[in-house]
Amino acid sequence: MSKKDFYVTTPIYYVNDVPHIGHGYSTIIADVIARYKRLTGYDVLFLTGTDEHGQKVEKAARDRGLSPQEHCDLMVGPWKELWRRLNVSYDDFIRTTEERHERVVQSIFQKLYDQGDIYKGFYEGWYCIYEETFYPESQLVEGCCPECGREVEWLREESYYFRSSKYQDQLLSYIKENPTFVQPDFRRNEVVSFIESGVQDISVSRTTFKWGIPVPFDPDHVVYVWFDALINYLTGSGYLQDDEKYRKFWPADIHIIGKDIIRFHAVIWPTMLMALGVELPEKVLATGFWTLGGEKISKSRGIVIDPNRLIEEFGEDSIRYFLLREISLGLDGEFTQEALIRRINGDLANDLGNLIHRTVAMMMKYFKGAIPESHQLGRLEEDLKEEALGLASIIDNAMNRMDIREALVQIWRVIGRANKYIDEASPWALAREGQTDRLETVMRTLLEAIRVITILIYPAMPRTAEKIWDQLGQADFKSVTIDDAKSWDGLARGTSVKKAPPLFPRVEIE
Ligand code: MSP
């Protein structure tokens, strides 16, 4: 029996600052996957949340004259609000300061210590607060952090270490035997060479500041923020709290992350799980960065795009569509307003918007909106029907490879086909000539194709799909499943289409 449960996660975001559009990207990808899986009958657990401990958050709180907890409680608001505005359908939002999580982290720390996989040592090395990461001298770039270019500080303190090195060989064989564990492929190669160059034990506690989960058996130490954060995926699955839920959802099917945090997810995290005797996640998918002027969009570098402004101006589905359609998963993409507007005016207003608009206008004109029955299909109708009904399996294939962009390209191919069909079938000529049966067949065929397209755009553009569904006069979208996109003649008898304002008004370029 195939597993019908699906567990998808996003990175948990640091609350030192408010979100920018780059953060929205991972969460939107996870949302599309979650919605697609639900549509195809899976019971989905979609987890996102915030990473609230560590020196960086502590410093941000201090700069604002707040306690770290007060700061986190305030900062979590803008994140949740953005996910609401982007229509993100998470099932659970985890905060690492929650008691449920702190308990799990402490139990894991204790267990690994008891079994000898965590030991006390002495840390000496370079630390970048911004990345919350230790770097060996050899990795520094001109003495600065190789990731963000900031100054690093020399740390010398007593520290607990996790014995990741012990699991190096096991991890290497695992990655080689499971070639889709790390995606895209070129990232897997990078991870493999990193592991082959030698996995070092990692420092997993700190003594120089307090904002972290106390090490249960040594209160002078707090747990290193990354060790704490990675465990959120287990906490969210019910691990050590709810056995039934944990058995249902673990191992996670996919962790969506950015490419900068791949080592934590594809090296450290798996070794932690191996030490715990817990199964590894199915897949770690690393996305590229959105850039502005070639530079990673990043609040602290002052390179930002406020997602809230974009949503107000263009609507959330336009933003979702643009981010998903514009770049192939795993690669970087330059964010420009011109490119966004080009997609809105082209793919959304012209292709999809016009298809709906023209169809509804003709339906009002010829049938006062009432959806007609079909008669004998001609060659043109058979063609469109075949293309539309073949789409679900093409998309399934793309989605199983997590190729959301390809799924959209395929949907837009059929949207283009439907637009062309209107011109070929020329309903206006049929109306003029009084060919009523044929006109009914053409309009019904068109509406059926739109019905199928609507179901398939839902994961990427949920609000738009619901709006079109409503224009088609169909009842609640909630009961729709992927099977409805695989069968023809699904428009309910006796229903009528409705007129509505354009879905995507053209954006004028100043
Ligand atoms: N808290 C850690 C993750 C812990 S997961 C157990 C963290 N947080 S973060 O807020 O700095 O970044 C979260 C995610 O946002 C990362 O995956 C990062 O790659 C992603 N992005 C941040 N800026 C980005 C872009 N400009 N473009 C695309 N994604 C980017 O790291």
Side-chain angles (χ1 to χ4, degrees):
M1 208 182 75
S2 66
K3 181 179 178 248
K4 274 292 192 187
D5 303 306
F6 197 89
Y7 181 23
V8 51
T9 67
T10 71
I12 49 171
Y13 300 93
Y14 287 129
V15 287
N16 60 310
D17 217 325
V18 295
H20 59 67
I21 196 71
H23 298 124
Y25 186 50
S26 335
T27 306
I28 290 169
I29 290 172
D31 188 54
V32 178
I33 294 171
R35 286 179 186 273
Y36 180 72
K37 287 291 169 184
R38 290 190 199 108
L39 193 67
T40 51
Y42 283 76
D43 199 354
V44 172
L45 174 59
F46 170 13
L47 179 73
T48 190
T50 40
D51 191 352
E52 305 191 356
H53 290 124
Q55 225 171 328
K56 177 158 70 170
V57 171
E58 188 184 72
K59 179 174 181 311
R62 202 179 324 115
D63 291 349
R64 294 175 71 187
L66 296 172
S67 75
Q69 190 63 56
E70 283 167 341
H71 168 84
C72 294
D73 292 347
L74 279 176
M75 287 304 290
V76 78
W79 290 89
K80 286 190 167 170
E81 179 59 11
L82 177 63
W83 304 149
R84 192 189 63 74
R85 289 187 178 176
L86 282 171
N87 209 357
V88 171
S89 63
Y90 61 78
D91 299 296
D92 192 2
F93 188 103
I94 189 165
R95 298 181 54 187
T96 53
T97 49
E98 283 170 293
E99 206 190 317
R100 59 168 169 162
H101 178 66
E102 301 201 347
R103 261 192 264 127
V104 174
V105 171
Q106 288 191 324
S107 307
I108 289 177
F109 207 97
Q110 182 77 55
K111 178 175 160 45
L112 296 181
Y113 181 68
D114 292 345
Q115 70 188 43
D117 276 330
I118 285 181
Y119 60 93
K120 201 178 207 171
F122 209 69
Y123 184 79
E124 224 175 5
W126 296 104
Y127 192 75
C128 169
I129 300 189
Y130 181 70
E131 300 296 335
E132 297 280 19
T133 304
F134 296 101
Y135 294 99
E137 181 100 27
S138 60
Q139 275 185 24
L140 300 182
V141 176
E142 289 171 10
C144 292
C145 171
E147 199 63 57
C148 68
R150 276 152 213 282
E151 282 190 11
V152 286
E153 54 178 305
W154 181 256
L155 291 183
R156 184 183 156 79
E157 58 183 275
E158 189 183 81
S159 173
Y160 286 93
Y161 277 85
F162 168 57
R163 233 179 263 288
S164 350
S165 61
K166 182 172 152 193
Y167 299 94
Q168 168 168 340
D169 294 342
Q170 198 182 334
L171 178 61
L172 204 53
S173 338
Y174 184 87
I175 294 186
K176 288 186 169 164
E177 281 157 25
N178 295 274
T180 57
F181 174 61
V182 179
Q183 289 289 304
D185 288 344
F186 64 92
R187 294 270 168 236
R188 186 190 55 242
N189 302 339
E190 189 183 300
V191 167
V192 167
S193 33
F194 177 76
I195 299 171
E196 280 170 344
S197 74
V199 175
Q200 309 288 322
D201 291 353
I202 67 154
S203 160
V204 289
S205 77
R206 305 287 312 276
T207 53
T208 48
F209 69 100
K210 285 279 149 253
W211 185 236
I213 300 174
V215 167
F217 47 86
D218 191 344
D220 287 344
H221 290 248
V222 293
V223 176
Y224 173 46
V225 62
W226 267 102
F227 189 87
D228 158 356
L230 289 163
I231 291 172
N232 92 85
Y233 303 129
L234 274 180
T235 308
S237 77
Y239 182 71
L240 302 182
Q241 310 139 79
D242 179 343
D243 261 3
E244 203 182 320
K245 182 175 176 188
Y246 172 67
R247 276 199 306 273
K248 186 171 157 66
F249 289 112
W250 194 265
D253 291 271
I254 186 162
H255 294 318
I256 310 290
I257 58 159
K259 64 179 182 181
D260 53 335
I261 57 176
I262 193 151
R263 285 188 193 169
F264 289 106
H265 286 81
V267 182
I268 294 174
W269 179 226
T271 56
M272 286 165 66
L273 292 169
M274 283 171 170
L276 287 170
V278 165
E279 266 185 274
L280 302 198
E282 280 289 314
K283 208 185 282 298
V284 173
L285 180 80
T287 69
F289 289 151
W290 282 95
T291 59
L292 203 58
E295 291 263 356
K296 178 186 176 193
I297 295 177
S298 155
K299 186 86 188 195
S300 63
R301 299 185 197 188
I303 306 169
V304 268
I305 292 188
D306 176 10
N308 292 299
R309 186 187 62 76
L310 288 177
I311 295 167
E312 268 154 40
E313 201 167 342
F314 304 109
E316 88 268 12
D317 276 354
S318 302
I319 309 303
R320 289 172 65 112
Y321 178 77
F322 173 74
L323 295 178
L324 297 165
R325 174 66 182 78
E326 195 68 9
I327 55 174
S328 295
L329 218 61
L331 303 183
D332 291 353
E334 174 74 6
F335 191 101
T336 68
Q337 184 129 327
E338 294 73 50
L340 170 63
I341 292 175
R342 216 177 308 125
R343 288 276 173 212
I344 295 176
N345 286 345
D347 303 7
L348 301 181
N350 269 358
D351 300 343
L352 176 60
N354 261 347
L355 174 65
I356 310 299
H357 186 74
R358 287 163 91 189
T359 307
V360 170
M362 288 189 290
M363 283 296 299
M364 301 315 288
K365 187 162 170 198
Y366 306 139
F367 302 112
K368 294 199 175 66
I371 299 178
E373 291 295 321
S374 184
H375 308 272
Q376 184 67 40
L377 302 192
R379 188 185 52 79
L380 284 178
E381 288 70 46
E382 291 290 0
D383 276 2
L384 182 60
K385 178 177 169 184
E386 199 184 312
E387 293 249 19
L389 290 184
L391 199 49
S393 88
I394 293 176
I395 286 178
D396 202 51
N397 200 292
M399 290 302 288
N400 287 336
R401 288 180 282 113
M402 301 298 152
D403 194 346
I404 300 173
R405 178 173 178 274
E406 175 60 15
L408 292 173
V409 168
Q410 292 297 331
I411 298 172
W412 256 257
R413 183 178 54 75
V414 178
I415 290 174
R417 186 74 199 80
N419 270 321
K420 190 154 165 255
Y421 171 75
I422 298 181
D423 299 335
E424 290 167 346
S426 311
W428 45 89
L430 301 173
R432 204 170 48 232
E433 293 157 10
Q435 296 194 49
T436 316
D437 280 9
R438 175 94 190 109
L439 180 63
E440 287 180 348
T441 304
V442 168
M443 293 311 296
R444 175 78 190 204
T445 303
L446 195 51
L447 288 168
E448 285 294 336
I450 292 176
R451 183 185 60 81
V452 169
I453 289 166
T454 306
I455 296 170
L456 295 172
I457 62 170
Y458 167 79
M461 307 174 75
R463 182 106 49 218
T464 302
E466 281 162 3
K467 277 191 201 163
I468 302 176
W469 204 249
D470 186 54
Q471 272 193 273
L472 292 177
Q474 303 305 295
D476 206 3
F477 191 88
K478 285 193 181 63
S479 56
V480 169
T481 74
I482 197 73
D483 290 338
D484 296 307
K486 294 179 186 161
S487 61
W488 208 238
D489 239 358
L491 291 162
R493 298 276 166 276
T495 49
S496 298
V497 305
K498 295 180 211 160
K499 262 195 125 121
L503 288 167
F504 300 99
R506 280 187 70 81
V507 181
E508 297 311 327
I509 305 164
E510 303 98 43

